[in-house]
Amino acid sequence: MKWLIYGSVLFATFGLIACERTPSTYPTRVFLGAPEPTPFTRAYSMTEAPDGVRFYVQEDGDQTLLYSVKRERGGWSEPELVDLPHRSMITGPHFSRFDETFYFSTNAAFPGREGNNDLNIWRADYLGDGQFGTAEPLPMPEINTGANETDTATTEDGLVVFVSNHSRAGGGGYDLMQARLSDEGVWTRERMPDGINHFLTDDHIAMDPQGRWLIFYSHREPKAGNVDLWISQRLEGGDWAVPENLGP
């Protein structure tokens, strides 16, 4: 399975991890003393709420579930299972920077398509203290497709980049697309510029709040491992530069 710890790597890239005060050029543990993951209990894709509650995804056999933890004196609280719609999978948690809602991907029954088992992007208002309001899916076919939409990143000015394995994304595998929500509540989407997507998988995205940099993992060459992190700069006019491998 390709979802490993890359969401946590991206989380660390933008300086959101602060569990160890000693500066380091290497990834550090988020939860000190936590048991070593197994192939069936990997945790990844961490995000932080405005009130400091952290959310992360963890595999549990044939399920992938969403958990929350809170800072306590001397460490962290015990993980709590988050009650959001799903059948067996929730992934891609992200707090939007422009509409202050919580985005996530789930295989919950899609309204009007109750027999589906694909992943779709949903969102919910955050009520604080790890609690959420009623969740609803983003519209189909504007964003969701009936294929898999798995990850989301946003900027302060309303740009949304998301991952889809639908052919309309243009790359051939899991690819990036971008979208905006108008003041009238209408979503518009478009393909990424040539060179961003590859016929191999591109996934697990992160952007800085101003949308100047986009980081994602990709199976493309050249690479040092199974997948590498790649970075693209947002250019004047809104286009994205050809991505570069972040290197060793």
Side-chain angles (χ1 to χ4, degrees):
M1 185 174 181
K2 67 185 180 66
W3 290 322
L4 302 175
I5 60 170
Y6 301 103
S8 295
V9 174
L10 295 182
F11 190 86
T13 302
F14 289 118
L16 297 177
I17 295 177
C19 295
E20 292 188 5
R21 297 184 179 277
T22 303
S24 174
T25 57
Y26 297 95
T28 58
R29 286 179 177 269
V30 178
F31 306 122
L32 301 178
E36 291 290 334
T38 74
F40 307 102
T41 60
R42 292 169 289 200
Y44 48 91
S45 293
M46 177 171 282
T47 190
E48 185 173 313
D51 61 0
V53 178
R54 291 186 180 181
F55 298 85
Y56 66 94
V57 168
Q58 183 157 23
E59 298 172 1
D60 181 12
D62 58 356
Q63 297 188 97
T64 303
L65 304 174
L66 184 67
Y67 294 87
S68 67
V69 290
K70 303 171 185 176
R71 200 57 142 148
E72 293 181 343
R73 183 184 297 271
W76 295 90
S77 65
E78 288 297 314
E80 294 185 13
L81 184 65
V82 176
D83 184 19
L84 284 171
H86 68 282
R87 285 194 177 99
S88 60
M89 178 174 287
I90 295 182
T91 190
H94 172 73
F95 280 93
S96 170
R97 296 185 172 98
F98 74 92
D99 63 5
E100 299 181 349
T101 58
F102 182 74
Y103 285 69
F104 62 101
S105 178
T106 175
N107 66 347
F110 196 98
R113 296 179 59 249
E114 281 72 16
N116 75 292
N117 197 39
D118 53 297
L119 289 166
N120 295 284
I121 297 172
W122 291 50
R123 64 178 178 175
D125 289 331
Y126 183 61
L127 306 179
D129 198 33
Q131 303 300 309
F132 294 93
T134 302
E136 59 181 16
L138 299 192
M140 181 181 293
E142 292 87 344
I143 302 297
N144 292 310
T145 62
N148 287 322
E149 281 68 48
T150 64
D151 208 5
T152 308
T154 62
T155 66
E156 292 172 344
D157 67 357
L159 176 66
V160 178
V161 176
F162 65 98
V163 175
S164 175
N165 72 340
H166 193 278
S167 59
R168 71 184 185 184
Y174 279 86
D175 300 305
L176 280 55
M177 298 195 74
Q178 55 190 354
R180 286 187 180 273
L181 180 64
S182 72
D183 294 338
E184 292 74 32
V186 177
W187 286 97
T188 57
R189 70 172 192 280
E190 59 180 324
R191 285 187 178 183
M192 300 294 283
D194 291 344
I196 296 294
N197 289 318
H198 192 269
F199 69 89
L200 298 175
T201 292
D202 305 302
D203 203 344
H204 289 290
I205 51 181
M207 288 190 291
D208 67 295
Q210 292 74 41
R212 297 164 298 184
W213 301 97
L214 171 66
I215 295 179
F216 58 97
Y217 90 27
S218 179
H219 285 262
R220 72 187 73 188
E221 298 285 351
K223 60 182 179 178
N226 184 36
V227 293
D228 281 5
L229 294 176
W230 291 70
I231 187 167
S232 175
Q233 185 177 9
R234 194 178 181 188
L235 307 174
E236 292 186 13
D239 279 343
W240 293 96
V242 174
E244 299 179 4
N245 192 302
L246 279 174

